[in-house]
Structure formats: C-alpha cells, structure tokens
Amino acid sequence: MSLKSRLLSMPGIWLQRHAQVALSSLGRLVGNRLSSLMTCAVIGIALALPVGLHVMLSNLNTISGGWESGASISLFLDQNISNDKARSLAETLRQHTRIETVELINRETALEEFQRLSGYADALQALDSNPLPNLLVIQPKVEYTTAETAEKLAQELRLLPEADIVQLDLQWVRRLQAITVIAQRAVVVLAALLSMAVLLIVGNTIRLEIQNRRTEIEITKLIGATNAFIRRPFLYTGFWYGLFGGLIAWFLVALSLILLSGPIAKLAQLYQSSFDLSSLDPITVLVLLSGSALLGLTGSWLAVGRHLSAIEPS
Amino acid sequence: MIHFDNVSKRYPGGHTGLSNINLRIDAEEMVFLTGHSGAGKSTLLKLIGLLERSSGGQVHVNGRNLTRLKNRQIPYHRREVGMIFQDHRLLHDRTVFDNVALPLVVSGLGHKEIGRRVRAALDKVGLLHKEKSAPITLSGGEQQRVGIARAVVSKPPLVLADEPTGNLDPELSKEIMELFSQFNKVGVTLLIATHDLALVSSMNRRILTLANGALSHDTKTEYRDVT
Ligand SMILES: Nc1ncnc2c1ncn2[C@@H]1O[C@H](COP(=O)(O)OP(=O)(O)OP(=O)(O)O)[C@@H](O)[C@H]1O
Ligand SMILES: [Mg+2]
C-alpha cells in the first residue's frame, strides 16, 4: 500500500473501527439479554417519572390557559337599581370598545332559575322580597381576554355607581397556574435527582463489567492498547444503556398517556369541554433520548476514569 | 537493541528483584536468560516490556530511554515488543484468529490487512487450519503457538518470552525453539527466559545467568575472555 492510499483510507478505518466497537458492545448487551434489560428498565423507569410529570403539567397548562381566555366578568348591580336602569346600563356597556357581549340576567329570571335548580323552592317562597340582584355577564373582546387586561376592565367597572360587586373569575385559575409553576420546579429537581441515579446505575454497571473483564483488559494493555482503546467499548456500552433506557421511558410514558386518555376524555365531557390529552411532542422525545444517551455515556465515563487506570498488567 | 546501565529493581516491601545489572544485547541476537527460581528473570523481562519500572539506573530499548518514557507512551513501546508467557494469556471468549489479530486491531490496522497478516502469522506457527477454534479446545503446545503468533504478528523488532516451554514436553519445547530460531533468522531479536538448561545448552546461543538479582554469568563475555 502506498503512503497516499494509506492516508486516504485512514478516516474509513477510523469509522470502521468505531462502528465495529459500537456494534460489538451492542452485541454484548444483547448476549446478556436479561441483565441488560433490567439495567435499561431501571433507567427507563427513573426517567419516565419526570418526563411523564412534565407531559401532565404541560397538558394542565394548556387547559388552564383555555380557561383563562374564556373568563367573563360578573357585574352585580346594586339592589336598588331597577330593571329598566339595568337594561340601559347593559346597552351603554355594549358600546364599550373592549366589550364583546353583555348579557343581562334579570333578578326575577335568576330567582326562578334558582328555585328550579336548587330545590329550595319552598324556602325561597317564604322570603318576602327577592334577595338576588340584577347581574350583567360581560364578555371582553378577544384581544382583551388575558388575565391582565380583563382585570383592568373589571377595575373600571367597579367605579360605576351602579356596581355592587364585580367579580373576575380568574383567581382560581391563577392559583392553579401558580401551583403548576411550583410543580414544574419540582419536576426539574426530580429530574436532576433521578439523572444522578441514572449516572450511578450506569457507573456501577460499568464498574462491575470492568471487574468481570479484568483479565481481558490486562492482556489488551499488554499488547499495546492505549487507554482510549480500552475505554471505547465501555463508553459505547454506557451509551447504549442510556439510549435504551430512554426508549423504555418513552414507551412507558406513551403507554400511561394512552391509559389516561379514556378517563380524561370522560372527565372533559362532564365539564362540557372536549379535551385531547396531548402526547409526547417530538422535542420532548428528542431531549429525552439524547439526554438519556448522554447520561449513559457520562456514567460510564466516570466509572471508566476511576477504575480502568487502576488495572495494569503484571 | 537492549541496554541496561546499572539497573536495580526493588519491589515495594523491600524485596530485591534485580541489583546493578549492566547488560547489552545487540539487534538480531537470540539470547537465553537462566537462573534459579526467584533470581529475577521475569523481573528483567518486565523492565524491558515496561510492566515494571526500574528503581535505579537506565534502561534503553530499541533506541528509547524507558526511564524517561511517560506512562501514556507505554502502549506505543509495547507494540514494538512482542511478549510470550508461560500461561499464554489468551482471550478465551475469542477465536484463535481474533486473538492473533488483537495487536493489529489495537494499532488500528484495516480489515483486509489484518486478515492477511494474521493468516501469515498462523501459517508460520502451523495453525492456519485452527483459526476459527476457541483457544480452550487447543493443546498446551498449540495454545503456546497461538501466543507466539500473536507476539510476532505485528512484526516487532524484539520478542520476549518468559518460560515459553514451561509446561511442554521436550519434543514440543524443541519445536518452539526451532520456531524462535526461524524468527531470529529473519532479523528478530529474542530474549528467552527459561529453567530448561538442557534445552538452552543444545541451542548453542548466548546465555545470561542471573543469581539473586545479579548477573552472574554471560557466555558472550566468557567467549571474549577466551579470545
Ligand atoms: N510483584 C512483586 N512484589 C514483590 N516482590 C516480587 C514481585 N515480583 C517478584 N518479586 C520478587 O523479586 C524476586 C525476583 O522474582 P522473579 O519473578 O523475577 O524471579 P524469576 O527468576 O522469574 O523466578 P521464577 O523462575 O520462579 O519465575 C523474587 O525474590 C520475588 O519474590
Ligand atoms: Mg519468572
């Protein structure tokens, strides 16, 4: 072989060598099917937990976001405001630039409905006057339905002389969102802790593997293998553990989502909303798989760094 | 090829392996190393293959000062020194072919080149028909020949052997020595440690004798003295 053709074939040989090591370490894992599967399953379960929680939380965010934009403002009028006055106020408010619709719920209509629905008809009949005020249900224009702008509009309405109580039904949505933010933090913390667990699992598995192959390592060093050469198959093994663990986590989360989608659809029906549980988006899957592979690689790197240099032939 | 300058080796715990060894072995020599058990034969070979480092003096091998060699350069040094052991040190989960191929794989040779060279080496030791066998299915003598093929497959200028015939009957031992002589004929320097004095004297080569870690006898200097 001439020097030129030898140099030209070098990148090819390099790739060939890496592919060979990657495949042979994969073959080794397949050879020890049961123990490899158990290690990958442990990694998969550890990773499925934060990923699953993350998916549930982003679903919750979508729902509560929808609730927020649907929020309307309830304007309860003073008791002494007559029906006519209420009707004209509704008419004025309909002209407001930031208001889409105004629905007047007449105090008499409200009482009738209440009697019909509550089952306290007799008790209510005993009252000599209608305790319910006139109510205006105000729907802001779409551009003004964010929590902030809706709150501003509610402030404005409170200044009306006819207004008694102005209620913006966002408080509980806000609370839910605040809780979601906390939960998201918790998921990040959990993910960090479980990633450490994955590092330890892979590190320990690789450490045992190094011990099992001690003689092989010694002999290979004896005939002039560099540390990089000996390290390589272990790094690939760690990489495969991580990647397969990630795939198992993906499978577990997807399976749980399928199991949950039925009951959730039923729940949504009860709330008269149609809600589809969104499954894992491609970016989450990509982050999961690359992250898990990287964790496997790092775990084995740490183990290899600590334990391989201690083995010298004698 | 090998140059020891006042070399000593003390093992941790105060055991003396070698003391004040001065020695010169030229390229293309075939030299035997003898001495009682514990005399330091293995230690001397280990210093040359850098399995151990000397505690004093200078060791030069193939133009390299081993005393100054950094740890990360050791693998490249070992690729130029073929080593053969009494217990063969083969990988038992791989075929004969893969065992012999290992030094070439380690130095990053291409697939085709590896196949060609491994078959040539197996042919030389007469085991070409066993390339697919597992080492465990071979006799002791055959396993030793696999070990020899592995030591010479990358064509190192220097080959070390530590009791290569330790477990073999005289006939097989003689065969192995013939093999070594053939390698020597094509320019390989060999240093062979052995207990087998009868075999050594029948080979008519330079003999170094160690006693209690010191070089007690060298047939080459004796020869010079006579002339
Ligand atoms: N790893 C070690 N730690 C401590 N002492 C050692 C070690 N290796 C060898 N020695 C000591 O060094 C001395 C020389 O040992 P060496 O193995 O070189 O002898 P040898 O000539 O090869 O003997 P044998 O013929 O039995 O193989 C002995 O006294 C031995 O006890
Ligand atoms: Mg010995």
Side-chain angles (χ1 to χ4, degrees):
Chain A
M1 224 194 278
S2 75
L3 183 66
K4 197 181 162 202
S5 67
R6 199 176 283 225
L7 281 177
L8 280 178
S9 70
M10 262 170 65
I13 289 172
W14 186 85
L15 271 182
Q16 190 187 27
R17 211 176 348 153
H18 270 264
Q20 226 163 37
V21 176
L23 285 179
S24 71
S25 46
L26 183 60
R28 213 172 253 280
L29 287 189
V30 175
N32 300 324
R33 208 159 297 144
L34 193 68
S35 67
S36 315
L37 192 68
M38 288 211 303
T39 306
C40 292
V42 172
I43 296 169
I45 291 166
L47 292 177
L49 205 60
V51 172
L53 284 175
H54 166 74
V55 172
M56 292 309 288
L57 283 177
S58 16
N59 271 304
L60 201 58
N61 260 349
T62 318
I63 309 173
S64 64
W67 282 331
E68 178 178 297
S69 65
S72 55
I73 300 167
S74 306
L75 171 57
F76 296 92
L77 300 180
D78 262 336
Q79 281 285 356
N80 52 20
I81 302 289
S82 70
N83 288 354
D84 285 343
K85 262 191 170 169
R87 211 167 298 128
S88 71
L89 179 61
E91 209 44 59
T92 336
L93 287 176
R94 279 194 190 102
Q95 311 305 316
H96 196 287
T97 45
R98 274 179 283 158
I99 291 175
E100 181 76 42
T101 60
V102 177
E103 190 194 347
L104 169 63
I105 297 174
N106 196 288
R107 50 193 302 199
E108 284 80 27
T109 329
L111 186 63
E112 271 169 38
E113 191 155 321
F114 189 59
Q115 280 172 336
R116 195 158 49 77
L117 290 177
S118 67
Y120 291 120
D122 297 342
L124 285 167
Q125 233 132 42
L127 291 171
D128 32 332
S129 70
N130 183 352
L132 297 177
N134 282 317
L135 167 65
L136 296 181
V137 178
I138 295 163
Q139 183 67 53
K141 286 211 170 110
V142 194
E143 311 92 274
Y144 302 107
T145 48
T146 65
E148 222 168 309
T149 51
E151 182 58 51
K152 228 184 206 165
L153 183 60
Q155 266 326 334
E156 232 172 86
L157 294 172
R158 256 173 220 132
L159 298 177
L160 289 173
E162 296 92 338
D164 181 15
I165 302 170
V166 177
Q167 227 170 39
L168 180 61
D169 267 347
L170 273 182
Q171 216 52 33
W172 71 275
V173 176
R174 290 274 183 79
R175 279 193 198 122
L176 182 66
Q177 279 168 351
I179 291 171
T180 314
V181 169
I182 295 173
Q184 267 162 343
R185 283 282 160 79
V187 168
V188 170
V189 172
L190 191 68
L193 286 176
L194 288 171
S195 296
M196 290 246 274
V198 170
L199 280 186
L200 293 178
I201 294 163
V202 174
N204 197 46
T205 310
I206 297 291
R207 183 182 63 84
L208 290 176
E209 177 120 357
I210 290 172
Q211 272 173 9
N212 284 341
R213 294 170 67 182
R214 196 189 173 90
T215 3
E216 180 183 340
I217 293 169
E218 279 180 15
I219 291 171
T220 321
K221 277 198 176 178
L222 208 54
I223 58 171
T226 55
N227 281 331
F229 179 92
I230 292 170
R231 206 183 290 137
R232 212 169 290 143
F234 293 105
L235 294 182
Y236 272 107
T237 306
F239 170 83
W240 289 126
Y241 275 135
L243 186 64
F244 287 123
L247 285 171
I248 289 177
W250 181 12
F251 170 78
L252 289 177
V253 172
L255 189 73
S256 325
L257 287 175
I258 289 171
L259 291 178
L260 282 176
S261 68
I264 284 185
K266 216 171 258 172
L267 183 70
Q269 229 169 22
L270 289 178
Y271 281 86
Q272 267 134 42
S273 82
S274 75
F275 172 69
D276 276 330
L277 195 61
S278 73
S279 51
L280 280 161
D281 58 306
I283 292 181
T284 308
V285 172
L286 197 73
V287 169
L288 167 63
L289 293 184
S290 52
S292 63
L294 194 68
L295 277 177
L297 197 62
T298 314
S300 61
W301 186 278
L302 293 175
V304 158
R306 283 180 57 96
H307 302 288
L308 219 49
S309 51
I311 301 178
E312 280 298 331
S314 57
Chain B
M1 178 60 71
I2 299 171
H3 185 195
F4 276 52
D5 186 11
N6 209 20
V7 173
S8 309
K9 172 66 185 173
R10 271 179 309 278
Y11 282 106
H15 287 276
T16 304
L18 292 172
S19 48
N20 305 318
I21 302 280
N22 288 294
L23 171 67
R24 195 180 187 99
I25 295 175
D26 291 327
E28 308 194 7
E29 269 195 275
M30 179 165 166
V31 180
F32 287 98
L33 184 62
T34 61
H36 63 85
S37 182
K41 305 183 289 293
S42 300
T43 303
L44 194 141
L45 295 184
K46 282 177 187 170
L47 290 183
I48 299 171
L50 270 180
L51 299 182
E52 295 285 353
R53 285 196 180 260
S54 59
S55 358
Q58 306 280 321
V59 182
H60 290 260
V61 174
N62 204 9
R64 224 181 235 141
N65 187 345
L66 299 193
T67 330
R68 293 229 197 93
L69 208 65
K70 300 214 169 62
N71 276 343
R72 61 185 165 77
Q73 293 172 313
I74 291 178
Y76 304 98
H77 168 68
R78 287 193 187 140
R79 287 177 198 179
E80 290 170 21
V81 181
M83 283 184 264
I84 297 161
F85 304 90
Q86 180 174 358
D87 54 359
H88 326 308
R89 306 235 179 141
L90 301 177
L91 298 178
H92 289 287
D93 57 347
R94 313 221 184 150
T95 62
V96 167
F97 181 97
D98 286 347
N99 266 284
V100 177
L102 206 55
L104 304 178
V105 173
V106 157
S107 7
L109 246 65
H111 214 63
K112 278 189 201 140
E113 183 77 356
I114 289 179
R116 203 177 58 73
R117 289 216 206 167
V118 170
R119 295 212 169 83
L122 281 175
D123 194 30
K124 246 183 259 170
V125 299
L127 284 176
L128 194 48
H129 59 292
K130 296 270 187 183
E131 62 170 307
K132 293 200 177 71
S133 309
I136 216 96
T137 63
L138 304 183
S139 73
E142 286 171 330
Q143 287 189 35
Q144 191 55 279
R145 271 144 61 198
V146 175
I148 291 168
R150 185 182 66 187
V152 300
V153 72
S154 54
K155 305 210 170 89
L158 172 64
V159 169
L160 309 175
D162 197 354
E163 321 245 5
T165 59
N167 293 327
L168 304 180
D169 61 43
E171 200 150 325
L172 279 174
S173 302
K174 191 79 192 159
E175 262 176 42
I176 299 278
M177 287 305 157
E178 279 311 314
L179 211 50
F180 285 152
S181 296
Q182 280 171 31
F183 293 136
N184 182 238
K185 246 182 231 157
V186 296
V188 179
T189 310
L190 288 117
L191 180 56
I192 303 152
T194 179
H195 275 125
D196 195 340
L197 289 175
L199 186 67
V200 167
S201 53
S202 77
M203 293 296 293
N204 227 350
R205 301 278 185 162
R206 180 179 174 191
I207 301 166
L208 300 171
T209 310
L210 286 171
N212 299 320
L215 198 57
S216 67
H217 200 240
D218 181 349
T219 53
K220 192 173 184 179
T221 52
E222 175 187 78
Y223 175 74
R224 280 203 187 119
D225 286 349
V226 173
T227 50

